[in-house]
Amino acid sequence: MAVTDLTACEIRKAIAERRLSAVEATEGCLRAIGRLDPKIKAFLSTDPDGGRRRAAEIDRRLAAGENVGLLAGIPVAVKDNMCTADGQPTTCASRILGGWRAPYDAHVVERLKAEGAVIVGKTNLDEFAMGSSTENSAYGATRNPWDLGRVPGGSSGGSAAAVAARLVPIALGSDTGGSIRQPAALCGVVGMKPTYGRVSRYGLVAFASSLDQIGPFGRTVADAALLLRATAGHDPRDSTSVREPVPDYLEGLEEPVRPLRIGVPREFFSAGIDPEVESVVREALAVYERLGAALVPITLPHSTDYSIATYYIVATSEASSNLARYDGVHYGYRSSDHTDMIDMYMRSRAQGFGDEVKRRIMLGTYALSSGYYDAYYKKALAVRRLIRRDFEQAFAKVDCIMGPTSPTPAFHVGERTADPLAMYLSDVYTVSANLAAIAGISIPCGFTAGGLPIGLQIITDVFTEGRLLRIARMYERETGWTKRAPPIVEDAA
Ligand code: GLN
């Protein structure tokens, strides 16, 4: 068995028992990246030398009997919108940050290092995390490991594809409107958006600050639990990170949640859903029923009809403000052919940002402008409150909410690039959890007849990640989906 077939928890155990070294684990991942990543393009940059050095140091510390941490020797990938100070670039897949090197580590990167992880590289994304396919990267699209003609989802498509193709066992992503859960679904892996405030965003390049949240990818629920435990917790440098204690998410993971009332929103099976996705997700719900859960029909009246519209006002407004800092002076790219200072700002931004980012800045600037503010931004905040209330009412009756993560399986490269609205609709089931600031996970629940993975989304109330993971694990234990590898991995073996 190759080291890349092991989950993070298995690597952890093997390293603890001295059956495997951190150097062997890192070399295994670097070899897999060398072999498969030219086709998948999950990574924007790798750090083989730094990774090897770090792995060797961890082996030395383990040999000296030190307690190295939760992730001792485990190779990890990090989405390239999180700052790393070790000389690796942090680009956000944008030309405007081309070659930029962050002067400090993001909180989550500090946490990974403190727990002994080996960061092997930075993964591709839609520019500034704006997109659902990873095609909006200034450095080329990532491909779906299950079918190289299709997208991996986005915006954390690089992290999802890297985990699906077994280039790394676990990876970090960020989720503003679905960017962890949707690519997890399209790539057949586990991806979780924790509650807003659960993981510090210090050093995460801001897209929409009231929505952004960092979370884990893994092939199994336990691996996601491990990575969440290592990265969650209060950090005074992110004023929205909460002081709630971080439970040991692995402890009790095997205990089923009983009784379990599952809310099934009518709106999550509405027009636009692919029939294969619907039937596979309904089969997953039947598995829970067999496990003793009760399915409760519910309604989230504001959540599906208005969530996309609300999200694209709130997210673009915040983005237009956050992205004002890229002026050609403070960071990265500066146009060389300018006449005066204003012209330099304008040309740097015009040349540095891609089309989707410009579209968002224009939409957000419009929604915030005086005269339109009340009609758009203020209205969106009011609807956001109603969406939150839908969930509050639902959680008074049920323990969790389930439905599809994405209305369709992975689509073809280029299929939606000319139609922004079609692209935005990829997130119709995921954005409301961000608007309501609650927790959500996507777990693999089957395949289409053509062999594309399908994800089941499970949503729970704020700061109930432990219960959410246990609910996800109940299903995973009954089914074998997480064991299946994409053909490209089997062929390479
Ligand atoms: N696809 C959504 C968007 O384009 C969500 C992105 C994200 O979660 N970062 O905004």
Side-chain angles (χ1 to χ4, degrees):
M1 191 190 230
V3 58
T4 46
D5 290 330
L6 301 176
T7 65
C9 288
E10 287 166 347
I11 294 178
R12 185 171 172 232
K13 191 156 180 283
I15 289 181
E17 292 168 358
R18 299 292 158 76
R19 287 181 284 116
L20 180 73
S21 69
V23 168
E24 286 165 341
T26 298
E27 292 294 352
C29 288
L30 292 173
R31 262 197 311 278
I33 292 170
R35 201 168 49 223
L36 292 179
D37 208 44
K39 293 188 193 125
I40 296 169
K41 300 191 168 69
F43 284 89
L44 285 177
S45 59
T46 54
D47 183 20
D49 296 341
R52 288 189 178 105
R53 253 198 323 275
R54 179 116 181 92
E57 178 199 323
I58 284 159
D59 283 333
R60 264 196 309 278
R61 288 173 56 196
L62 286 167
E66 273 182 56
N67 178 6
V68 180
L70 269 180
L71 303 177
I74 300 177
V76 180
V78 174
K79 186 177 181 180
D80 205 22
N81 60 351
M82 298 177 211
C83 291
T84 44
D86 48 14
Q88 289 264 104
T90 298
T91 67
C92 292
S94 180
R95 247 167 80 74
I96 213 154
L97 282 177
W100 184 65
R101 281 166 171 75
Y104 62 93
D105 278 332
H107 177 78
V108 288
V109 171
E110 284 178 2
R111 293 293 310 134
L112 292 177
K113 290 181 175 172
E115 296 292 353
V118 176
I119 299 174
V120 293
K122 308 280 297 279
T123 54
N124 200 10
L125 63 152
D126 288 294
E127 186 176 1
F128 285 105
M130 297 175 187
S132 308
S133 68
T134 316
E135 291 166 292
N136 294 339
S137 165
Y139 306 106
T142 297
R143 302 301 177 120
N144 190 311
W146 294 91
D147 177 346
L148 296 176
R150 292 176 191 265
V151 303
S155 64
S156 313
S159 286
V163 171
R166 306 191 174 194
L167 308 181
V168 279
I170 46 178
L172 284 178
S174 66
D175 190 312
T176 304
S179 279
I180 294 175
R181 290 160 289 155
Q182 185 259 17
L186 271 47
C187 288
V189 298
V190 176
M192 182 189 208
K193 181 197 97 72
T195 309
Y196 185 75
R198 180 73 288 188
V199 180
S200 164
R201 289 100 39 89
Y202 175 77
L204 169 72
V205 177
F207 160 16
S209 307
S210 77
L211 301 161
D212 297 338
Q213 185 56 218
I214 294 173
F217 283 101
R219 296 205 311 274
T220 62
V221 174
D223 279 9
L226 176 70
L227 185 52
L228 178 65
R229 186 180 164 210
T231 47
H234 179 249
D235 167 23
R237 297 167 300 183
D238 174 358
S239 60
T240 65
S241 85
V242 294
R243 284 181 191 277
E244 293 275 320
V246 181
D248 180 350
Y249 296 115
L250 284 168
E251 207 184 280
L253 187 61
E254 300 300 324
E255 277 167 41
V257 175
R258 289 211 178 96
L260 177 63
R261 293 158 307 168
I262 302 173
V264 183
R266 184 158 43 97
E267 295 83 1
F268 279 20
F269 295 89
S270 51
I273 186 170
D274 175 283
E276 272 186 296
V277 170
E278 169 155 12
S279 75
V280 163
V281 168
R282 289 207 188 271
E283 274 168 42
L285 296 176
V287 170
Y288 276 101
E289 249 185 328
R290 281 204 294 283
L291 292 171
L295 300 187
V296 183
I298 60 164
T299 168
L300 300 167
H302 302 93
S303 161
T304 313
D305 283 355
Y306 302 115
S307 62
I308 286 286
T310 307
Y311 171 82
Y312 277 95
I313 302 275
V314 173
T316 58
S317 298
E318 295 182 13
S320 74
S321 160
N322 275 324
L323 270 58
R325 70 190 61 163
Y326 304 101
D327 54 4
V329 176
H330 293 90
Y331 306 94
Y333 179 79
R334 177 184 301 178
S335 165
S336 48
D337 57 337
H338 52 267
T339 50
D340 57 23
M341 195 175 69
I342 299 293
D343 192 48
M344 187 275 289
Y345 291 152
M346 284 172 33
R347 283 179 196 264
S348 299
R349 287 169 70 82
Q351 293 161 12
F353 289 135
D355 288 348
E356 182 61 27
V357 174
K358 287 179 189 161
R359 180 180 296 124
R360 306 270 178 127
I361 292 172
M362 287 189 280
L363 284 170
T365 306
Y366 183 81
L368 289 179
S369 56
S370 70
Y372 293 106
Y373 181 93
D374 284 358
Y376 293 103
Y377 187 68
K378 210 169 143 208
K379 186 67 138 209
L381 293 188
V383 180
R384 183 176 186 177
R385 187 71 200 99
L386 295 176
I387 291 169
R388 169 84 195 122
R389 194 182 312 153
D390 281 356
F391 283 102
E392 282 162 6
Q393 283 167 353
F395 288 133
K397 287 190 291 217
V398 297
D399 305 292
C400 67
I401 292 169
M402 288 191 196
T405 306
S406 157
T408 67
F411 39 94
H412 287 105
V413 172
E415 192 178 317
R416 298 189 188 165
T417 39
D419 183 352
L421 192 58
M423 192 69 91
Y424 295 176
L425 286 171
S426 310
D427 303 308
V428 62
Y429 303 134
T430 49
V431 290
S432 43
N434 300 77
L435 289 164
I438 54 185
I441 196 169
S442 180
I443 59 172
C445 71
F447 290 84
T448 65
L452 298 173
I454 293 172
L456 171 71
Q457 182 177 215
I458 314 172
I459 300 171
T460 57
D461 208 351
V462 291
F463 303 113
T464 54
E465 284 81 5
R467 190 150 45 105
L468 176 56
L469 289 159
R470 279 167 60 204
I471 295 170
R473 177 63 190 140
M474 286 168 72
Y475 175 84
E476 183 185 57
R477 202 170 31 212
E478 290 298 306
T479 54
W481 305 120
T482 51
K483 297 205 172 64
R484 216 196 271 192
I488 193 173
V489 175
E490 315 253 291
D491 296 348

